[in-house]
Amino acid sequence: SAQCDRCLNVTSLLCLKCTFCSLLSGVYEESNGTSRTAGMNGNGPSRLVDPLEDPLPGVGTYEDFNTIDWVREKSKDRDRHREITNKSRQSTVALLHSISDAFSGWLLMLLVGLMSGALAGGIDISAHWMTDVKGGLCLRGFWFNHEHCCWLSNETTFQERDRCPQWQSWAELITGKSEGPFAYIMNYLMYIFWALMFSFLAVILVRAFAPYACGSGIPEIKTILSGFIIRGYLGKWTLIIKTITLVLAVSSGLSLGKEGPLVHVACCCANILCHLFTKYRKNEAKRREVLSAAAAVGVSVAFGAPIGGVLFSLEEVSYYFPLKTLWRSFFAALVAAFTLRSINPFGNSRLVLFYVEFHTPWHLVELAPFILLGIFGGLWGALFIKANIAWCRLRKTTCLGHYPVIEVLVVAALTALLAYPNSYTRMSGSELISELFNDCSLLDSSQLCGYKQVNTGVDNSLADRPAGPGLYTALWQLALALVFKMMITVITFGMKVPSGLFIPSMAVGAIAGRLLGVGMEQLAYYNHDSVIFKGWCSQGADCITPGLYAMVGAAACLGGVTRMTVSLVVIMFELTGGLEYIVPLMAATMTSKWVADAFGREGIYEAHIRLNGYPFLEPKEEFEHSSLAVDVMRPRRMDPALAVLTQEGMTVGEVESTHFSGFPVVVSSESQRLVGFVLRRDLLISIDNARKRQDGIVSASQVVFTEHTPLLPPDAPPPLRLRCIMDLSPFTVTDHTPMDITVDIFRKLGLRQCLVTHNGRLLGIITKKDILKHMAQMANRDPDSILFN
């Protein structure tokens, strides 16, 4: 190990030897979920016996549903970078290669931003058009959505800007009538028909071509960024099908959003583009740095919030986030936002999704209702997580999970049937939130602006006014919409279609906030002389802004479900442009998190990770038990002895007959002094390669892990020297190391496993799966719920 560290100071032959060994370094893969052992690679490269031997294909790669070794991957990248730097001093071509290697990361970020922004723009335009198709068609051109169709019309009025002769409902197209019970029923039936058609196409495409395209994708992205391997989850078929079915699912009217799945889409783009660059194609740790930046890009194009996207990646999804990744995430989010702005999918020349026009200052007294909204958001978040996880567990453990197509169709039919009569549930989630964030002007035709006109003698067109019949009707509809959204979102999230949670959660909070805001507005109007309002809210003044309460409620409910804090506040003020409302947003978000954490510290994404049994060590969770490494390691006191390999004396046949995925290598069975760690996968690949390329390798050949070949009888077959594929510096802890320290080591170094010793003698092994099982057992959960390693 010391030789390779000093390779720059010794002969070039030794440098070549260390370089080849770095390429051949193996990493642990556990192929059996019930294995008691796991591989662990240190931070120093291994050594080849023969420096002229070509690297073996397959050594150092990973199998599906296994965790990478961050230490080994970072070591490989350091060796590669050191080699390129040394060669750059020797020739101009090597110098240009070094420059291109350094610039490749920025070029990759540029491509990820451009591709993600273009796809997001296409998804926004397509979803808007297909959502409007459920209501009718544009006679001027079927490719126009409702809004664009009426923009081109000269017959629109300010009061009825969404009505024009060029746009006709299905009742008008089929029966020629736009009013009356028959026309209403025809539009109702066509709405249900299109909802079922879109949801059916979405679930069929997902089931037939890309099963990984369902759901939000953020729980799996978090797990992948922690070092887990899920083959195909970020592949080209997943990208294609998720892009298509996301449009279909959103257009069907189901209570879901496209913002969460856009993070998955951006990560798919990044993973595919990584294959264009050798540095990222061959190194899993480097690839995860790109995926962290792609998560920021996904939020940037979802909300038009590039800074919030970077903070979202840092706070919520990333496991390893160095400063270099922060800069590249910022650049990629900027490129993606610029690309989306160039496409202009919303047609309003704005990047943000819910821009607010009001800038009325808020008063200190209003912090009380803002905090009340935070309490509501926390309670809703905790309730939603428990209810949704219970429903998803029911889906997994009963026959309901065997019929995903029927489930999606039933939920889509139920949603459409109940949503159409209420205008606030009939519209899409984004439209609903925009309506609730809206402030009322005198000429606004929205039902939420159904106030009575009062002449106070003061020329203030936006003064607080008494509620009229139209507003009371809207409030009843909003109350019903709130109950409907809360219930239907529970069973919708997690179905076998792309389903985001940002927009439904924000819609629930925005409805609650608007209801509270209107209540506060009427309270201020009728009691402006009371102690609470006296001094800052006089008669005829514009005291309360209901749209602000909707903003705060949306942030509170989204924070209660996801447990986001800093990134959520930044996303909200980028999303709305309401920079002066940071303090109310912060107060509601923190209150929401505190209240939700009182019922359970897991957010919805962590809860789904645990439900799926992924090996994810949550960085926010603390290990509070006083156990030691010896209490968690395998083998336990009553288990058989730990399976090991000796550095001499074992044959090829004995090694091939082993069943565990990785083995500590010891001096001898008697001494149990640790020499290193080797992976069964790398052993089998090396043995198979030796049989093809080296004469005389048979089952009786000795496997040697020493630097020098031992003396063998003259008639013995030639030995197989495999010291090069062995990790000579595995991480070790003593048997009395506290488990909280061990857990921190696993988290901060990204370890797969750690060997346990006593006075230098090998005792056992601790894997990430062992830690997760122990933590589940301490929390009175089923330890066998951890399915993968």
Side-chain angles (χ1 to χ4, degrees), residues 494-558:
M495 291 195 308
K496 296 303 180 183
V497 292
S499 53
L501 195 57
F502 281 53
I503 291 297
S505 299
M506 290 177 64
V508 169
I511 294 173
R514 187 78 185 202
L515 291 173
L516 181 61
V518 172
M520 285 292 296
E521 182 187 44
Q522 297 305 302
L523 188 66
Y525 178 80
Y526 288 108
N527 300 277
H528 56 81
D529 292 330
S530 65
V531 177
I532 300 176
F533 301 104
K534 191 174 182 178
W536 66 276
C537 184
S538 59
Q539 186 176 10
D542 183 19
C543 305
I544 305 295
T545 307
L548 170 59
Y549 285 75
M551 281 174 51
V552 173
C557 280
L558 185 55

Side-chain angles (χ1 to χ4, degrees), residues 696-763:
I697 298 298
V698 294
S699 296
S701 299
Q702 276 204 28
V703 176
V704 180
F705 294 101
T706 57
E707 291 184 354
H708 306 288
T709 305
L711 294 176
L712 299 174
D715 56 343
L720 178 59
R721 303 176 64 184
L722 297 179
R723 184 177 175 85
C724 184
I725 67 169
M726 180 175 63
D727 176 20
L728 295 174
S729 54
F731 275 91
T732 60
V733 295
T734 67
D735 52 342
H736 291 289
T737 304
M739 274 306 297
D740 54 345
I741 302 296
T742 306
V743 171
D744 277 343
I745 293 174
F746 270 78
R747 282 176 180 153
K748 294 175 180 178
L749 294 180
L751 302 185
R752 252 311 289 278
Q753 66 290 307
C754 188
L755 300 176
V756 182
T757 61
H758 177 74
N759 294 334
R761 190 171 182 271
L762 178 66
L763 287 184

Side-chain angles (χ1 to χ4, degrees), residues 393-414:
R393 185 171 287 113
L394 182 69
R395 181 188 292 128
K396 289 171 70 78
T397 57
T398 63
C399 60
L400 181 65
H402 299 302
Y403 306 100
V405 177
I406 296 176
E407 181 193 11
V408 170
L409 289 177
V410 169
V411 173
L414 184 65

Side-chain angles (χ1 to χ4, degrees), residues 645-663:
L645 301 180
T646 57
Q647 64 178 355
E648 296 179 5
M650 297 193 70
T651 65
V652 170
E654 291 173 334
V655 171
E656 286 183 312
S657 65
T658 55
H659 299 290
F660 296 111
S661 299
F663 303 92

